[in-house]
């Protein structure tokens, strides 16, 4: 077992197997994902229980990188503004698909708009209900979750 740098979020002193140094690992206390970097020397202080801590090694497909796990303040600010604008447009004008265009999802926006227009408004109530549901989903998510789901993962439909 190799001692690594403390967790950047909670400060827990951790150890990982030698083959995991340099890989992304997850802190068992706060669930923060970060790259395990070996310490040059063992720290002087030790944890209260003095037991080695093992980190969970996660596959790249299952865990977001540390940048995605903790978006920057500017990214969160952008996500918050898009969340509010898209949520309100989805609730008020859901049948036109404007909220999809705000989020940069052109194809779903065109689909919603064309369904409403080409059916001469007969399908607008159905599309409006879809917009209402999406608007509520947008506005009930935290800024971090909204950023991850709609801006990083690019989830187009609810």
């Amino acid at each position: 077992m190799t001692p690594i740098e403390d967790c950047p979020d909670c400060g827990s002193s951790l150890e990982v197997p030698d083959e995991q140094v340099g890989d992304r690992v997850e802190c068992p206390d706060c669930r923060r994902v970060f790259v395990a970097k070996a310490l040059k020397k063992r720290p002087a202080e030790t944890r209260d229980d003095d037991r080695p801590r093992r980190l969970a090694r996660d596959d790249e497909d299952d865990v977001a990188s540390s940048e995605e796990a903790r978006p920057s303040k500017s990214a969160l600010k952008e996500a918050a503004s898009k969340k509010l604008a898209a949520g309100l447009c989805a609730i008020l004008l859901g049948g036109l698909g404007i909220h999809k265009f705000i989020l940069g999802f052109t194809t779903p926006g065109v689909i919603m708009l064309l369904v409403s227009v080409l059916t001469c408004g007969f399908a607008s109530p159905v599309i409006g209900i879809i917009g209402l549901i999406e608007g509520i989903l947008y506005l009930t998510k935290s800024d971090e979750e909204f950023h991850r789901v709609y801006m990083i993962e690019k989830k187009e439909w609810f």
Side-chain angles (χ1 to χ4, degrees):
M1 297 290 276
T2 302
I4 62 169
E5 291 181 1
D6 295 343
C7 174
D9 272 0
C10 67
S12 294
S13 297
L14 308 164
E15 293 183 356
V16 297
D18 295 321
E19 63 272 4
Q20 285 188 4
V21 173
D23 291 346
R24 290 184 298 167
V25 295
E26 182 178 10
C27 175
D29 290 340
C30 68
R31 314 301 286 172
R32 169 76 187 262
V33 177
F34 61 99
V35 176
K37 296 179 184 173
L39 291 175
K40 303 260 186 219
K41 58 182 179 177
R42 184 152 182 97
E45 70 273 3
T46 58
R47 291 191 9 241
D48 295 336
D49 58 4
D50 249 0
R51 287 179 293 138
R53 312 277 316 262
R54 301 198 91 182
L55 293 177
R57 183 176 184 178
D58 295 310
D59 295 329
E60 289 184 16
D61 296 335
D62 295 339
V63 176
S65 72
S66 60
E67 292 175 3
E68 292 173 357
R70 298 284 179 175
S72 67
K73 287 183 181 180
S74 62
L76 283 178
K77 196 172 186 180
E78 179 187 5
S81 65
K82 282 191 176 187
K83 178 178 88 167
L84 182 61
L88 291 176
C89 284
I91 291 171
L92 300 173
L93 303 169
L96 300 176
I98 294 172
H99 60 287
K100 296 292 187 180
F101 293 107
I102 290 171
L103 295 176
F105 304 140
T106 306
T107 302
V110 169
I111 290 170
M112 292 180 84
L113 183 61
L114 287 178
V115 167
S116 293
V117 171
L118 295 178
T119 62
C120 298
F122 288 114
S124 291
V126 174
I127 299 298
I129 291 171
I130 291 172
L132 176 68
I133 292 169
E134 288 184 328
I136 292 169
L137 288 173
Y138 295 161
L139 294 175
T140 57
K141 292 189 183 301
S142 68
D143 292 343
E144 285 185 6
E145 186 179 10
F146 183 86
H147 180 265
R148 180 182 52 81
V149 172
Y150 297 107
M151 298 176 83
I152 293 176
E153 295 175 5
K154 306 275 187 206
K155 183 177 178 184
E156 295 178 342
W157 298 98
F158 60 101

